[in-house]
Amino acid sequence: LRGSFVATPRSPLCFGVKRKKVITEEVLKLYRGFDRRIPSGEYENPFVDTPRIPKDTPLAIHEYADDWFHEQFGIRARSTTIICSTDLVQAQQYGDSGTVAEITPLQEFSLIYSTQVRDFLDVMVELSNISASSVATWLESKAYRCVNSCSMLPQGFRGEVLVSCSRYKLSAI
């Protein structure tokens, strides 16, 4: 738990307040399901050097989305990130035959998410026409954001988070 607000003498909210009030919030955890057994430890992001090839998303959608994320955030988010979820149950669906783990990015990292997207596979349900412009329009409508701390993810958010990092810690659950 972390304190997210501390009233200070300069804060307009604490004018006349004689004691500090700390409101605590839970920092969301990131989970990932793997299709094979992986021991806990620190790992290099394998997708930095060898971009990820999609398993469930058509290649055209994957590439259009990658281009859009690169234009917006400078990150090829569909092919170079560790795809995680703040929802343990969702991660378990992807790791039912292997390992489910908590992922902690190390060093500098970015987190890309949309509170409107639980799973990127929603794009296939919501799009009737697949083109660069239709994928871009869909992504723009989802108001994706990029932050650099798990504490900046909205409280209660349950969905996919694209973790751009060079190294991460994997803690098998």
mmCIF file of all heavy atoms in Angstrom, residues 22-49:
data_model
loop_
_atom_site.group_PDB
_atom_site.id
_atom_site.type_symbol
_atom_site.label_atom_id
_atom_site.label_comp_id
_atom_site.label_asym_id
_atom_site.label_seq_id
_atom_site.Cartn_x
_atom_site.Cartn_y
_atom_site.Cartn_z
ATOM 1 N N VAL A 22 -3.282 10.829 5.270
ATOM 2 C CA VAL A 22 -2.744 9.989 4.208
ATOM 3 C C VAL A 22 -3.839 9.034 3.748
ATOM 4 O O VAL A 22 -4.433 8.329 4.542
ATOM 5 C CB VAL A 22 -1.513 9.181 4.688
ATOM 6 C CG1 VAL A 22 -1.015 8.263 3.591
ATOM 7 C CG2 VAL A 22 -0.413 10.121 5.142
ATOM 8 N N ILE A 23 -4.104 9.051 2.458
ATOM 9 C CA ILE A 23 -5.057 8.122 1.862
ATOM 10 C C ILE A 23 -4.234 7.050 1.163
ATOM 11 O O ILE A 23 -3.377 7.352 0.347
ATOM 12 C CB ILE A 23 -5.973 8.843 0.849
ATOM 13 C CG1 ILE A 23 -6.768 9.945 1.565
ATOM 14 C CG2 ILE A 23 -6.900 7.846 0.174
ATOM 15 C CD1 ILE A 23 -7.554 10.832 0.633
ATOM 16 N N THR A 24 -4.487 5.805 1.497
ATOM 17 C CA THR A 24 -3.701 4.730 0.893
ATOM 18 C C THR A 24 -4.491 4.062 -0.225
ATOM 19 O O THR A 24 -5.709 3.935 -0.162
ATOM 20 C CB THR A 24 -3.298 3.674 1.940
ATOM 21 O OG1 THR A 24 -4.480 3.164 2.536
ATOM 22 C CG2 THR A 24 -2.399 4.277 3.004
ATOM 23 N N GLU A 25 -3.777 3.676 -1.245
ATOM 24 C CA GLU A 25 -4.361 2.974 -2.383
ATOM 25 C C GLU A 25 -3.497 1.757 -2.693
ATOM 26 O O GLU A 25 -2.294 1.766 -2.475
ATOM 27 C CB GLU A 25 -4.405 3.880 -3.612
ATOM 28 C CG GLU A 25 -5.328 5.062 -3.471
ATOM 29 C CD GLU A 25 -5.323 5.943 -4.705
ATOM 30 O OE1 GLU A 25 -4.513 5.712 -5.615
ATOM 31 O OE2 GLU A 25 -6.128 6.873 -4.742
ATOM 32 N N GLU A 26 -4.125 0.750 -3.224
ATOM 33 C CA GLU A 26 -3.406 -0.455 -3.618
ATOM 34 C C GLU A 26 -2.776 -0.224 -4.989
ATOM 35 O O GLU A 26 -3.424 0.256 -5.904
ATOM 36 C CB GLU A 26 -4.397 -1.611 -3.712
ATOM 37 C CG GLU A 26 -3.778 -2.891 -4.176
ATOM 38 C CD GLU A 26 -4.806 -3.993 -4.366
ATOM 39 O OE1 GLU A 26 -5.974 -3.795 -3.988
ATOM 40 O OE2 GLU A 26 -4.430 -5.031 -4.914
ATOM 41 N N VAL A 27 -1.482 -0.539 -5.109
ATOM 42 C CA VAL A 27 -0.812 -0.462 -6.399
ATOM 43 C C VAL A 27 -1.129 -1.756 -7.137
ATOM 44 O O VAL A 27 -0.945 -2.853 -6.604
ATOM 45 C CB VAL A 27 0.712 -0.276 -6.237
ATOM 46 C CG1 VAL A 27 1.410 -0.331 -7.585
ATOM 47 C CG2 VAL A 27 1.003 1.038 -5.536
ATOM 48 N N LEU A 28 -1.642 -1.627 -8.352
ATOM 49 C CA LEU A 28 -2.032 -2.806 -9.120
ATOM 50 C C LEU A 28 -0.814 -3.640 -9.487
ATOM 51 O O LEU A 28 0.259 -3.117 -9.755
ATOM 52 C CB LEU A 28 -2.763 -2.378 -10.388
ATOM 53 C CG LEU A 28 -4.098 -1.677 -10.168
ATOM 54 C CD1 LEU A 28 -4.690 -1.239 -11.503
ATOM 55 C CD2 LEU A 28 -5.070 -2.579 -9.447
ATOM 56 N N LYS A 29 -1.014 -4.946 -9.525
ATOM 57 C CA LYS A 29 0.036 -5.872 -9.926
ATOM 58 C C LYS A 29 -0.194 -6.272 -11.380
ATOM 59 O O LYS A 29 -1.315 -6.223 -11.886
ATOM 60 C CB LYS A 29 0.025 -7.107 -9.030
ATOM 61 C CG LYS A 29 0.389 -6.793 -7.602
ATOM 62 C CD LYS A 29 0.396 -8.037 -6.746
ATOM 63 C CE LYS A 29 0.793 -7.693 -5.322
ATOM 64 N NZ LYS A 29 0.844 -8.894 -4.484
ATOM 65 N N LEU A 30 0.879 -6.682 -12.027
ATOM 66 C CA LEU A 30 0.822 -7.135 -13.412
ATOM 67 C C LEU A 30 1.043 -8.641 -13.445
ATOM 68 O O LEU A 30 1.977 -9.159 -12.818
ATOM 69 C CB LEU A 30 1.910 -6.437 -14.242
ATOM 70 C CG LEU A 30 1.840 -4.915 -14.263
ATOM 71 C CD1 LEU A 30 3.061 -4.337 -14.953
ATOM 72 C CD2 LEU A 30 0.562 -4.457 -14.953
ATOM 73 N N TYR A 31 0.198 -9.330 -14.193
ATOM 74 C CA TYR A 31 0.273 -10.788 -14.299
ATOM 75 C C TYR A 31 0.396 -11.189 -15.770
ATOM 76 O O TYR A 31 -0.070 -10.480 -16.667
ATOM 77 C CB TYR A 31 -0.987 -11.440 -13.718
ATOM 78 C CG TYR A 31 -1.254 -11.066 -12.288
ATOM 79 C CD1 TYR A 31 -2.203 -10.105 -11.966
ATOM 80 C CD2 TYR A 31 -0.551 -11.675 -11.245
ATOM 81 C CE1 TYR A 31 -2.454 -9.754 -10.648
ATOM 82 C CE2 TYR A 31 -0.793 -11.331 -9.920
ATOM 83 C CZ TYR A 31 -1.742 -10.367 -9.636
ATOM 84 O OH TYR A 31 -1.987 -10.026 -8.329
ATOM 85 N N ARG A 32 1.003 -12.352 -15.971
ATOM 86 C CA ARG A 32 1.115 -12.895 -17.332
ATOM 87 C C ARG A 32 0.998 -14.413 -17.261
ATOM 88 O O ARG A 32 1.559 -15.042 -16.362
ATOM 89 C CB ARG A 32 2.439 -12.493 -17.969
ATOM 90 C CG ARG A 32 2.628 -13.074 -19.377
ATOM 91 C CD ARG A 32 3.870 -12.513 -20.047
ATOM 92 N NE ARG A 32 4.181 -13.211 -21.265
ATOM 93 C CZ ARG A 32 3.675 -12.926 -22.467
ATOM 94 N NH1 ARG A 32 2.822 -11.950 -22.603
ATOM 95 N NH2 ARG A 32 4.027 -13.618 -23.525
ATOM 96 N N GLY A 33 0.310 -14.965 -18.228
ATOM 97 C CA GLY A 33 0.223 -16.404 -18.370
ATOM 98 C C GLY A 33 1.161 -16.857 -19.474
ATOM 99 O O GLY A 33 1.212 -16.243 -20.539
ATOM 100 N N PHE A 34 1.928 -17.891 -19.216
ATOM 101 C CA PHE A 34 2.860 -18.454 -20.191
ATOM 102 C C PHE A 34 2.390 -19.851 -20.563
ATOM 103 O O PHE A 34 1.873 -20.577 -19.719
ATOM 104 C CB PHE A 34 4.281 -18.543 -19.602
ATOM 105 C CG PHE A 34 4.898 -17.214 -19.298
ATOM 106 C CD1 PHE A 34 4.677 -16.588 -18.074
ATOM 107 C CD2 PHE A 34 5.694 -16.574 -20.229
ATOM 108 C CE1 PHE A 34 5.253 -15.369 -17.776
ATOM 109 C CE2 PHE A 34 6.276 -15.338 -19.947
ATOM 110 C CZ PHE A 34 6.053 -14.735 -18.716
ATOM 111 N N ASP A 35 2.615 -20.256 -21.795
ATOM 112 C CA ASP A 35 2.174 -21.574 -22.247
ATOM 113 C C ASP A 35 3.160 -22.688 -21.901
ATOM 114 O O ASP A 35 2.986 -23.822 -22.299
ATOM 115 C CB ASP A 35 1.878 -21.563 -23.744
ATOM 116 C CG ASP A 35 3.079 -21.188 -24.596
ATOM 117 O OD1 ASP A 35 4.177 -20.991 -24.039
ATOM 118 O OD2 ASP A 35 2.917 -21.073 -25.819
ATOM 119 N N ARG A 36 4.200 -22.362 -21.153
ATOM 120 C CA ARG A 36 5.184 -23.354 -20.725
ATOM 121 C C ARG A 36 5.632 -23.018 -19.303
ATOM 122 O O ARG A 36 5.410 -21.909 -18.822
ATOM 123 C CB ARG A 36 6.375 -23.390 -21.676
ATOM 124 C CG ARG A 36 7.164 -22.112 -21.719
ATOM 125 C CD ARG A 36 8.182 -22.070 -22.849
ATOM 126 N NE ARG A 36 9.018 -20.908 -22.803
ATOM 127 C CZ ARG A 36 8.650 -19.673 -23.068
ATOM 128 N NH1 ARG A 36 7.396 -19.402 -23.397
ATOM 129 N NH2 ARG A 36 9.492 -18.673 -23.007
ATOM 130 N N ARG A 37 6.283 -23.960 -18.656
ATOM 131 C CA ARG A 37 6.782 -23.744 -17.294
ATOM 132 C C ARG A 37 8.006 -22.828 -17.339
ATOM 133 O O ARG A 37 8.929 -23.057 -18.125
ATOM 134 C CB ARG A 37 7.175 -25.069 -16.653
ATOM 135 C CG ARG A 37 6.008 -25.993 -16.469
ATOM 136 C CD ARG A 37 5.328 -25.683 -15.152
ATOM 137 N NE ARG A 37 4.192 -26.560 -14.955
ATOM 138 C CZ ARG A 37 3.085 -26.192 -14.366
ATOM 139 N NH1 ARG A 37 2.953 -24.976 -13.909
ATOM 140 N NH2 ARG A 37 2.096 -27.033 -14.227
ATOM 141 N N ILE A 38 7.991 -21.812 -16.497
ATOM 142 C CA ILE A 38 9.114 -20.877 -16.410
ATOM 143 C C ILE A 38 9.393 -20.634 -14.930
ATOM 144 O O ILE A 38 8.481 -20.263 -14.180
ATOM 145 C CB ILE A 38 8.792 -19.543 -17.113
ATOM 146 C CG1 ILE A 38 8.481 -19.783 -18.590
ATOM 147 C CG2 ILE A 38 9.952 -18.562 -16.967
ATOM 148 C CD1 ILE A 38 8.069 -18.547 -19.343
ATOM 149 N N PRO A 39 10.628 -20.821 -14.490
ATOM 150 C CA PRO A 39 10.935 -20.582 -13.072
ATOM 151 C C PRO A 39 11.009 -19.093 -12.749
ATOM 152 O O PRO A 39 11.281 -18.264 -13.626
ATOM 153 C CB PRO A 39 12.306 -21.250 -12.887
ATOM 154 C CG PRO A 39 12.913 -21.287 -14.246
ATOM 155 C CD PRO A 39 11.776 -21.360 -15.231
ATOM 156 N N SER A 40 10.782 -18.769 -11.492
ATOM 157 C CA SER A 40 10.917 -17.385 -11.034
ATOM 158 C C SER A 40 12.348 -16.918 -11.267
ATOM 159 O O SER A 40 13.289 -17.707 -11.222
ATOM 160 C CB SER A 40 10.578 -17.282 -9.548
ATOM 161 O OG SER A 40 9.226 -17.619 -9.315
ATOM 162 N N GLY A 41 12.507 -15.634 -11.533
ATOM 163 C CA GLY A 41 13.829 -15.064 -11.757
ATOM 164 C C GLY A 41 13.744 -13.776 -12.544
ATOM 165 O O GLY A 41 12.648 -13.277 -12.839
ATOM 166 N N GLU A 42 14.902 -13.245 -12.886
ATOM 167 C CA GLU A 42 14.973 -12.045 -13.713
ATOM 168 C C GLU A 42 15.280 -12.454 -15.145
ATOM 169 O O GLU A 42 16.106 -13.334 -15.380
ATOM 170 C CB GLU A 42 16.036 -11.085 -13.185
ATOM 171 C CG GLU A 42 15.652 -10.453 -11.873
ATOM 172 C CD GLU A 42 16.611 -9.365 -11.410
ATOM 173 O OE1 GLU A 42 17.488 -8.934 -12.199
ATOM 174 O OE2 GLU A 42 16.473 -8.932 -10.256
ATOM 175 N N TYR A 43 14.597 -11.784 -16.082
ATOM 176 C CA TYR A 43 14.714 -12.150 -17.490
ATOM 177 C C TYR A 43 14.865 -10.913 -18.372
ATOM 178 O O TYR A 43 14.374 -9.843 -18.040
ATOM 179 C CB TYR A 43 13.460 -12.917 -17.949
ATOM 180 C CG TYR A 43 13.326 -14.276 -17.317
ATOM 181 C CD1 TYR A 43 12.664 -14.439 -16.109
ATOM 182 C CD2 TYR A 43 13.881 -15.405 -17.924
ATOM 183 C CE1 TYR A 43 12.546 -15.679 -15.521
ATOM 184 C CE2 TYR A 43 13.762 -16.649 -17.335
ATOM 185 C CZ TYR A 43 13.099 -16.781 -16.139
ATOM 186 O OH TYR A 43 12.983 -18.013 -15.559
ATOM 187 N N GLU A 44 15.530 -11.122 -19.491
ATOM 188 C CA GLU A 44 15.580 -10.114 -20.551
ATOM 189 C C GLU A 44 14.270 -10.200 -21.326
ATOM 190 O O GLU A 44 13.711 -11.292 -21.482
ATOM 191 C CB GLU A 44 16.747 -10.398 -21.511
ATOM 192 C CG GLU A 44 18.115 -10.362 -20.880
ATOM 193 C CD GLU A 44 18.593 -8.954 -20.576
ATOM 194 O OE1 GLU A 44 18.216 -8.021 -21.318
ATOM 195 O OE2 GLU A 44 19.335 -8.794 -19.589
ATOM 196 N N ASN A 45 13.792 -9.089 -21.828
ATOM 197 C CA ASN A 45 12.616 -9.097 -22.697
ATOM 198 C C ASN A 45 13.057 -9.649 -24.058
ATOM 199 O O ASN A 45 13.795 -8.993 -24.784
ATOM 200 C CB ASN A 45 12.066 -7.684 -22.842
ATOM 201 C CG ASN A 45 10.894 -7.587 -23.792
ATOM 202 O OD1 ASN A 45 10.577 -8.537 -24.501
ATOM 203 N ND2 ASN A 45 10.257 -6.435 -23.818
ATOM 204 N N PRO A 46 12.612 -10.850 -24.428
ATOM 205 C CA PRO A 46 13.076 -11.458 -25.683
ATOM 206 C C PRO A 46 12.546 -10.745 -26.919
ATOM 207 O O PRO A 46 13.099 -10.901 -28.005
ATOM 208 C CB PRO A 46 12.522 -12.883 -25.598
ATOM 209 C CG PRO A 46 11.302 -12.753 -24.746
ATOM 210 C CD PRO A 46 11.636 -11.688 -23.740
ATOM 211 N N PHE A 47 11.486 -9.944 -26.752
ATOM 212 C CA PHE A 47 10.858 -9.303 -27.898
ATOM 213 C C PHE A 47 11.542 -8.012 -28.324
ATOM 214 O O PHE A 47 11.214 -7.457 -29.363
ATOM 215 C CB PHE A 47 9.371 -9.057 -27.614
ATOM 216 C CG PHE A 47 8.656 -10.302 -27.170
ATOM 217 C CD1 PHE A 47 7.991 -10.339 -25.959
ATOM 218 C CD2 PHE A 47 8.678 -11.449 -27.944
ATOM 219 C CE1 PHE A 47 7.333 -11.488 -25.533
ATOM 220 C CE2 PHE A 47 8.034 -12.607 -27.536
ATOM 221 C CZ PHE A 47 7.363 -12.627 -26.322
ATOM 222 N N VAL A 48 12.511 -7.552 -27.533
ATOM 223 C CA VAL A 48 13.270 -6.359 -27.923
ATOM 224 C C VAL A 48 14.075 -6.672 -29.180
ATOM 225 O O VAL A 48 14.108 -5.884 -30.126
ATOM 226 C CB VAL A 48 14.179 -5.868 -26.773
ATOM 227 C CG1 VAL A 48 15.125 -4.779 -27.248
ATOM 228 C CG2 VAL A 48 13.338 -5.369 -25.605
ATOM 229 N N ASP A 49 14.737 -7.829 -29.198
ATOM 230 C CA ASP A 49 15.570 -8.217 -30.343
ATOM 231 C C ASP A 49 14.819 -9.043 -31.383
ATOM 232 O O ASP A 49 15.145 -8.986 -32.567
ATOM 233 C CB ASP A 49 16.797 -9.003 -29.865
ATOM 234 C CG ASP A 49 17.720 -8.147 -29.012
ATOM 235 O OD1 ASP A 49 17.833 -6.941 -29.295
ATOM 236 O OD2 ASP A 49 18.305 -8.684 -28.060
#
